[in-house]
């Protein structure tokens, strides 16, 4: 508890006047992109049999690797959960990726030169998904609404507890003197980005939700694209006219991340006549 008390006040942890707090969207996306770039040489080899080399999957992989190494250090109490530890984890991922990039530098350089358009397209898919759901959060950013909040108050309390904790497991925000007896790694991933960027948690929450949506849409796009492209390249399909793998990727993202959640739209249209919905 002494270590926790010495960890700094809330105002010491977050500067509302910092550049990152004034441009939170830019800082958030730059942090995600940096982690992705640090991990790309690794996923390039791990996903070597995929046509796109798992480029969009790299965003999730980078965040996961950095967060896990940080969590491991804080859980074993080797290092506290703070920005310096996150930077050490990023350096470790970057060091491993640098070794992979150097070893397969020719292959990596040739692949990047041939697939620039694909990389730009996939970046556009991720950014479009992020901005689209960010607009949804802008239209209803409240985390504490009396009846629309749902689980957000509890989720936000756990997120703040993880952010404020020096070591893992985090303290329990509902039970003084106790530790969190709950799965919290999703909050820890978000807290890692919060600690790295210094963005206020209330703002970062509304950036984390679009981020997870964009990661989901991007992963679905990548899987569908790779399946379609592998099918197109198979010897049995030579000479046949097949739909573009990009179309398959877009369809995969829509089916996984959007179309499966249209029940809310049905509820809105039927709100004037509940019997229609029933």
């Amino acid at each position: 508890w002494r270590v926790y008390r010495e960890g700094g006040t809330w105002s010491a942890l977050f500067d509302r006047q910092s550049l990152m707090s004034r441009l939170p969207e830019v800082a958030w996306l730059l942090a995600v992109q940096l982690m992705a770039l640090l991990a790309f040489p690794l996923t390039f080899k791990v996903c070597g049999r995929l046509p796109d080399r798992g480029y969009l999957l790299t965003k999730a992989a980078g965040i996961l690797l950095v967060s896990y190494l940080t969590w491991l250090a804080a859980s074993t109490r080797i290092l506290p959960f703070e920005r310096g530890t996150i930077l050490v984890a990023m350096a470790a991922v970057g060091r491993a990726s640098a070794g992979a990039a150097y070893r397969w530098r020719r292959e990596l350089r040739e692949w990047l030169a041939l697939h620039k358009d694909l990389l730009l397209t996939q970046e556009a898919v991720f950014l479009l998904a992020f901005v689209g759901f960010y607009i949804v959060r802008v239209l209803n950013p409240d985390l504490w609404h009396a009846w629309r909040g749902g689980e957000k108050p509890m989720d936000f309390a756990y997120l703040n507890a993880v952010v404020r904790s020096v070591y893992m497991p985090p303290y329990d925000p509902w039970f003084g003197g106790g530790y969190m007896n709950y799965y919290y790694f999703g909050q820890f991933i978000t807290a890692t980005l919060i600690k790295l960027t210094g963005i206020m948690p209330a703002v970062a929450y509304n950036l984390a939700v679009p981020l997870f949506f964009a990661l989901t849409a991007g992963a679905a796009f990548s899987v569908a694209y790779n399946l379609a492209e592998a099918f197109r390249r198979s010897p049995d399909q030579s000479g046949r006219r097949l739909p573009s793998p990009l179309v398959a990727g877009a369809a995969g993202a829509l089916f996984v991340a959007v179309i499966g959640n249209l029940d809310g739209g049905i509820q809105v249209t039927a709100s004037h006549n509940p019997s229609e919905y029933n």
Side-chain angles (χ1 to χ4, degrees), residues 71 84 87 91 106 159-161 167 170 205 225 238 255 269 274:
W71 175 84
L87 293 175
R106 182 176 178 180
L159 176 61
N160 284 330
Y167 296 109
Y205 191 101
Y225 171 87
S238 59
F255 272 99
T269 58

Side-chain angles (χ1 to χ4, degrees), residues 64-147:
L64 182 60
L65 284 172
V66 173
S67 299
Y68 180 73
L69 291 177
T70 304
W71 175 84
L72 203 60
S75 295
T76 55
R77 305 205 169 198
I78 296 175
L79 292 171
F81 182 36
E82 58 186 24
R83 181 178 293 170
T85 304
I86 299 170
L87 293 175
V88 169
M90 293 175 68
V93 174
R95 176 65 183 84
S97 283
Y102 180 78
R103 181 174 181 180
W104 294 289
R105 58 190 180 279
R106 182 176 178 180
E107 181 184 355
L108 180 62
R109 184 168 56 249
E110 291 175 352
W111 188 89
L112 289 173
L114 292 173
H115 295 85
K116 290 179 181 178
D117 292 343
L118 175 61
L119 299 187
L120 291 175
T121 300
Q122 292 195 347
E123 287 289 355
V125 168
F126 176 82
L127 190 60
L128 182 63
F130 179 88
V131 172
F133 211 93
Y134 176 75
I135 293 173
V136 173
R137 293 304 306 147
V138 168
L139 295 174
N140 181 26
D142 197 345
L143 304 180
W144 297 99
H145 196 283
W147 59 85

Side-chain angles (χ1 to χ4, degrees), residues 15-75:
D15 181 7
R16 294 177 181 268
Q17 304 304 319
S18 68
L19 180 61
M20 290 186 176
S21 293
R22 285 181 285 164
L23 297 171
E25 301 88 350
V26 176
W28 191 263
L29 288 173
L30 285 177
V32 171
Q33 188 67 11
L34 178 58
M35 291 184 184
L37 291 176
L38 287 175
F40 177 60
L42 295 176
T43 55
F44 180 80
K45 293 306 297 181
V46 171
C47 302
R49 298 180 67 86
L50 299 181
D52 73 346
R53 296 300 183 100
Y55 182 76
L56 270 181
L57 301 177
T58 302
K59 295 187 184 296
I63 297 171
L64 182 60
L65 284 172
V66 173
S67 299
Y68 180 73
L69 291 177
T70 304
W71 175 84
L72 203 60
S75 295

Side-chain angles (χ1 to χ4, degrees), residues 168-183:
M168 299 296 119
Y171 70 84
D172 191 334
W174 305 111
F175 186 72
Y179 291 99
M180 192 181 296
N181 183 22
Y182 192 76
Y183 47 88

